[in-house]
Amino acid sequence: MTREDLAGKIAVVTGAARGIGAAIAQRLAAAGATVVVNYRGSEEAALAVVAAIEAAGGKAEALQADVSDAAATEALFKDVLARHGGLDLLVNNAGVAKDGLLVTMRDRDWQRVLDVNLTGLQRCTRLALHHMMQKRSGVIVNLSSIQALRGGRGQANYAAAKAGVVALSRAAALEVADRGVRVNAVLPGFIETDMTAMIQRRAGDEVLARIPAGRFGTPDDVAGLVLFLCSDDAAYITGQALTVDGGMSAQ
Ligand code: NAP
């Protein structure tokens, strides 16, 4: 048995139909967790993630909810607790980017990015904490970004939301550490997913030149760190912001 054994744990991964979330769901399930694969619109992809997990001998189910919708998010967590009788791990992965220069940014693009990446994450965290604090155990991992540290031209909304995720994770960790609950933020660099596909097509060489490791990250690079943080190997790690970026932010 490895220390990463998550057998018997119930995990929710938001936005897990594609990209980094799908890889996280598969790694947690491979370590023994029963995984709720949350999705907003990508039902077919979510069902494919569940099928892949089950084919590998794991347990998962897909549940729809838009994490920017308060009522839908409350229903999601109520459903998870009713169906599984508990919640041990929450990975707040759902995220969107709506890039544009700040000077011409539309209010709705600012608001949407904040609503999904920060307010939605905050609500999921709060709903999970109600349960985790009562049973005095639980782990929450929040997907931020290295843009939280560096800014990023055309990403004022995204960078602000992701910096908020780091601050929220630290504050929440302090509030719940003595209840046996850990909260950490993960800051990926440039990971090859749908979210970065256009940038990669337009400026891939330029980005690559700024990655000391000499390659783009994969969803699995991020999933490995998330799995570690969910495991008992990370039992004494809380309130931290950990980068997984091939050295990009060390420059
Ligand atoms: P992606 O490929 O665009 O996938 C985003 C996922 O989030 C999709 O599964 C999508 O679900 C889900 N989602 C979006 N809005 C949602 C909502 N309102 N409610 C529920 N789910 C929602 O993105 P990714 O690259 O895998 O990114 C995953 C996370 O890592 C995000 O938080 C992102 O900001 C962060 N991140 C990514 C990178 C990178 O380089 N890729 C770097 C740093 C941080 P549907 O398809 O069902 O709509």
Side-chain angles (χ1 to χ4, degrees), residues 14-21 38-42 65-68 93-96 112 116-117 143-146 158 162 188-191 193-196:
T14 66
R18 302 185 277 123
I20 294 170
N38 160 254
Y39 66 97
R40 177 193 50 178
S42 303
D66 180 333
V67 298
S68 69
N93 166 82
V96 289
R112 183 70 190 152
V116 175
N117 295 347
L143 270 288
S144 174
S145 163
I146 59 165
Y158 185 80
K162 293 301 190 183
F190 193 100
I191 311 297
T193 67
D194 295 343
M195 187 178 273
T196 50

Side-chain angles (χ1 to χ4, degrees), residues 153-167:
R153 228 177 108 78
Q155 293 203 303
N157 49 358
Y158 185 80
K162 293 301 190 183
V165 169
V166 171

Side-chain angles (χ1 to χ4, degrees), residues 120-140:
L121 176 146
Q122 167 275 143
R123 192 175 293 109
C124 291
T125 299
R126 195 152 37 84
L127 290 164
L129 285 179
H130 287 159
H131 176 75
M132 292 176 175
M133 288 172 77
Q134 257 176 26
K135 71 178 182 103
R136 295 186 170 264
S137 74
V139 179
I140 298 176

Side-chain angles (χ1 to χ4, degrees), residues 3 5 8 12-13 19 24 28-29 62 87 96 104 137 139-140 177-179 195 222 227 231 249:
R3 291 282 304 280
D5 191 342
V12 170
V13 184
I24 292 169
L28 297 186
L87 172 63
V96 289
T104 50
S137 74
V139 179
I140 298 176
D178 66 351
R179 300 292 185 96
M195 187 178 273
V222 182
L227 172 61
S231 77
S249 59

Side-chain angles (χ1 to χ4, degrees), residues 17 25 44 59 64-65 73 87 96 116 118 125 127 131 134 143 147 170 176-177 184 187 190 200 227 229 236:
E44 211 174 301
K59 289 184 227 150
Q64 196 279 337
T73 308
L87 172 63
V96 289
V116 175
L118 185 57
T125 299
L127 290 164
H131 176 75
Q134 257 176 26
L143 270 288
Q147 302 303 65
R170 288 197 170 121
V176 301
N184 289 292
L187 284 65
F190 193 100
Q200 200 177 343
L227 172 61
L229 288 171
Y236 204 52

